[in-house]
Amino acid sequence: MLIRRPSDIAPSDITPRDVFINRRQFMTAAAGSVLLAGEAMAALKATPSAFSTNDKANTLKEITSYNNYYEFGTGKDDPAANASRLKTKPWQIIVEGEAGKARTFGIEDILKLAPLEERIYRLRCVEGWSMVIPWIGIPLASLLKQVEPTGNAKFVAFESLHDPKQMLGQLTPVLDWPYREGLRIDEAMHPLTILAVGLYGEVLPNQNGAPIRLVVPWKYGFKSIKAITRIRLQAQQPQTSWNKSAPNEYGFYSNVNPAVDHPRWSQASERRIGEILKRKTLPFNGYADQVAQLYKGMDLAKYF
Ligand SMILES: Nc1nc2c(c(=O)[nH]1)N[C@H]1C(S)=C(S)[C@@H](COP(=O)(O)O)O[C@H]1N2
Ligand SMILES: [Mo]
């Protein structure tokens, strides 16, 4: 696969970031912009990735004002209004369980593990909308390899921060807190699976999951857990928040599958935020060439 180097990038590719930089004032004013390591708004340097989609990216405004983040409320505009309450620095992630070298990482440690890449990915929410987001991050595999997973590490469990003083939504039992998600180890190690620390060239806004969140582009958006504090390698399939709250609606796998309806609505099409006409939803959210082989022989209507 051809990796695009900076010199290969057409001006059209960088326009969104220019637009972003022009909007930096706006961005700083909008609640949720945080700084890494106390620095001024230094852009995160990232190399473009061959895994990026050519779909047009959503605007920064769309990406930061239409969010799902129940720790800050269930409305789409609640996270932008409330997530500034979250203190993202310092921040630590415990990586534990079936690992030879379990340890705790600071964000600074994680930034050193691999070159930051810009990955423009589609995100498809189970609710029927989608966006295209220019994430900045590193492969999750770069972090997991550091702790040397044992042969018993068949699954990876993730947990978000649990702190109702900062996350007022946790005072309400809409979900069983903390937010939990999980992947099979091969899904977690897949090169498309990233830990994002930024978007549009900057540190991640709080409403998008600062300081660090998972992005699994072939699965429904809820798999992409925000504000991660704990990652556990384990032998058993993890319990996940959405599966626990409604097991018949949200399975463990949660692959984007237009052929499997949600019990209360069809998943055949989606509305890209900013567009009027609906699009057909693609199997594995358009990433089938890269990931379909992970599920060979599985009945994906049963393992939904
Ligand atoms: N901790 C946490 N992570 C979360 C959620 C949440 O409520 N809490 N919502 C999920 C859902 S349903 C979606 S669609 C995506 C939305 O990501 P975005 O707001 O950055 O677009 O985040 C996911 N990660
Ligand atoms: Mo979602």
Side-chain angles (χ1 to χ4, degrees), residues 62-64 66-73 76 79 123-127 129 131 133 135 159-161 167 170 175 177-181 199 204 207-209 213-214 220-228 242:
E62 288 163 341
I63 294 168
T64 56
Y66 191 91
N67 301 100
N68 269 340
Y69 200 169
Y70 278 22
E71 286 88 335
F72 295 106
K76 293 286 174 276
L123 180 142
R124 166 65 156 85
C125 178
V126 75
E127 296 163 344
W129 52 270
M131 281 208 225
I133 303 179
W135 301 111
E159 266 181 38
S160 297
L161 180 69
M167 297 175 143
Q170 290 178 338
L175 286 173
W177 308 110
Y179 196 96
R180 289 191 188 85
E181 260 307 335
L199 63 79
L204 213 53
Q207 58 267 45
N208 295 93
R213 60 92 60 83
L214 187 70
Y220 289 117
F222 62 86
K223 279 271 157 188
S224 293
I225 180 172
K226 298 175 173 178
I228 301 168
W242 284 106

Side-chain angles (χ1 to χ4, degrees), residues 95-105 143-150 233:
V95 188
E96 61 181 3
E98 290 291 344
K101 292 191 173 163
R103 57 170 275 218
T104 298
F105 294 80
L143 174 66
L144 295 180
K145 281 175 192 156
Q146 290 291 312
V147 300
E148 301 180 3
T150 70
L233 293 149

Side-chain angles (χ1 to χ4, degrees), residues 185-221:
I185 190 77
D186 56 343
E187 297 174 326
M189 291 297 201
H190 192 280
L192 279 176
T193 304
I194 60 168
L195 287 169
V197 294
L199 63 79
Y200 263 128
E202 290 285 349
V203 166
L204 213 53
N206 277 13
Q207 58 267 45
N208 295 93
I212 188 160
R213 60 92 60 83
L214 187 70
V215 184
V216 194
W218 71 95
K219 293 180 182 273
Y220 289 117

Side-chain angles (χ1 to χ4, degrees), residues 126 154-155 181-188 216-224 236-238 240 242-243 247 249-257 260 284 291 294-296 298-304:
V126 75
K154 306 285 188 226
F155 293 92
E181 260 307 335
L183 294 172
R184 218 169 54 189
I185 190 77
D186 56 343
E187 297 174 326
V216 194
W218 71 95
K219 293 180 182 273
Y220 289 117
F222 62 86
K223 279 271 157 188
S224 293
Q236 311 79 24
Q237 182 175 301
T240 71
W242 284 106
N243 182 246
E249 299 186 17
Y250 310 107
F252 175 77
Y253 282 92
S254 313
N255 288 319
V256 174
N257 189 345
V260 175
F284 300 104
V291 301
L294 297 179
Y295 309 100
K296 228 162 96 191
M298 283 176 70
D299 175 355
L300 294 182
K302 183 169 172 215
Y303 297 100
F304 63 97

